[in-house]
Amino acid sequence: MPYMAKDKTLYVCTDCGSTSPKWLGKCPACGAWNTLMETVAEAEGASKNRFASLAPSSEVTALLDIEASEVDRTATGIDELDRVLGGGMVAGGVVLMGGDPGIGKSTLLLQALDVLQRGGASTLYISGEESGAQVALRARRLGMPACEVRVLAEIHLEKILATLSAVRPSIAVIDSIQTVYSDQLTSAPGSVAQVRECAAHLTRAAKASGITMVLVGHVTKEGALAGPRVLEHMVDTVLYFEGDTHSSFRLVRAIKNRFGAVNEIGVFAMTDKGLKGVSNPSAMFLSQHAEPVPGSCVMVTLEGSRPLLVEIQALVDSGGPSPRRLSVGLERDRLAMLLAVLHRHAGVACMDQDVFVNAVGGVRISEPAADLAVMLAITSSLRGKPLPKGFLAFGEVGLAGEVRPAPRGQDRLKEAAKLGFGVAVVPKANAPKKPIEGLTLYPVERVEEALAVLRGLD
Ligand code: TYD
Ligand code: MG
């Protein structure tokens, strides 16, 4: 039985779940440091489960006896956003929109609310970071002077909940969840306890009243702590903004979606009139070299249903006694593995070299189909010889030096041919039966073969 403090606050260890009436640096039960987190101790007799209303107890029923209609979606009218949402916003659904500060979360949501409001939905933008006047200014700058979106500048959870039940909007945006605070907790707004507690209350309100709710969460410097990650399990959909703040391109990626596919991305460009969807993004991650340069190899990756051409760059330079391996946008452990395969099976040694690899444009590539392109870029940099103009490669590389096929190879090759690529090294199993116009293919089964093709092309 947990001990209840008189002031109704209680500290729970996030590791072992034991409780303490006051904050301690070290958990008395499990000995972990810095794991005690403030929560509200519910009064005796009250429901101990904050999520009780999300799943009221019911009879055991066979799935076929449960009436379930297709979810009711409202398209936001911004195609790229609808694509990541799986077709639109769902009534009663809670969306978490995460991303670095300044990446464009508020801009995109204000644009979406404006379209929805004009389509007849009743919207409410709750701003905790900017005053009504600042939001109005932003709307003017975005070219929507007659914007009818209603704004509430408020950070007090209890007042927000009261407004939501009085105004009953169909869609509400909370910008941002880190600014909202509840009286029931003594910790500061933005602390893990506040963020979780407020999100739980807002989620409950959304489910109970059928309001579509969007929670904006800044990714904090410390990463996971008090950032949007602590809320991912509570909400229905998690979208993250990605992209280099220095370039104008922004990706919105679905990490979790109870109402649609994940790993679909929306692509936007930040302009002086807000975010504009990029409907044909396949060429935007290519840097435009006038002449081929050493250490650069283009690959085709799949983002959701779309093929994207991405340039992989490598720089191999003589290193010190413990050479460095660094990767941006690609997995570093995978890089170490590829270097070992390259040495063992193709005799290309980088033991005494620093190796840096980068996926151009701030994209993150997690699929193994990048392996072959990474290897060829490294080899090209090491030899100081550029790959031919219009060259591309993709395919997964295994520990035995074999080149494995990538999913939907045909689509990737067609997209590359469409953008004028003429030479491709691909896994044998991905080579199409019918030749693709304008594309010379070199199907390979092993890493050695791929490198032999390169030497042949010199
Ligand atoms: P914002 O939506 O405020 O970011 P977030 O809510 O994620 O913190 O985006 C702010 C950035 O976008 C800011 O640096 C200026 C830029 N911006 C434009 O380039 N064009 C525009 O039309 C707007 C409104 C903002
Ligand atoms: Mg903002």
Side-chain angles (χ1 to χ4, degrees), residues 14-27:
T14 49
D15 272 11
C16 69
S18 65
T19 54
S20 157
K22 62 176 191 215
W23 191 85
L24 296 166
K26 186 179 177 185
C27 172

Side-chain angles (χ1 to χ4, degrees), residues 5-158:
K6 284 209 183 67
D7 63 355
K8 284 184 69 190
T9 52
L10 193 65
Y11 294 84
V12 179
C13 172
T14 49
D15 272 11
C16 69
S18 65
T19 54
S20 157
K22 62 176 191 215
W23 191 85
L24 296 166
K26 186 179 177 185
C27 172
C30 69
W33 287 95
N34 240 343
T35 53
L36 290 191
M37 202 191 82
E38 188 187 22
T39 56
V40 184
E42 304 269 352
E44 260 328 294
S47 164
K48 292 226 164 34
N49 185 356
R50 287 179 290 157
F51 297 101
S53 70
L54 299 188
S57 60
S58 60
E59 303 281 306
V60 175
T61 323
L63 283 177
L64 77 109
D65 296 329
I66 299 177
E67 251 184 72
S69 50
E70 260 302 299
V71 288
D72 182 13
R73 286 179 197 279
T74 314
T76 61
I78 297 179
D79 290 345
E80 293 293 306
L81 183 59
D82 287 337
R83 172 192 281 273
V84 268
L85 287 169
M89 304 255 190
V90 175
V94 180
V95 179
L96 174 66
M97 169 87 74
D100 291 329
I103 202 155
K105 302 180 291 297
S106 310
T107 307
L108 181 61
L109 290 171
L110 191 58
Q111 286 178 276
L113 286 190
D114 181 56
V115 180
L116 287 165
Q117 179 78 38
R118 275 189 278 139
S122 95
T123 61
L124 182 60
Y125 182 90
I126 299 166
S127 175
E129 301 187 342
E130 293 162 303
S131 64
Q134 281 172 305
V135 178
L137 259 179
R138 184 199 297 266
R140 307 258 145 79
R141 224 179 31 234
L142 289 171
M144 29 201 217
C147 182
E148 284 177 22
V149 173
R150 287 173 293 176
V151 181
L152 170 73
E154 184 57 71
I155 56 172
H156 189 188
L157 176 72
E158 284 72 21

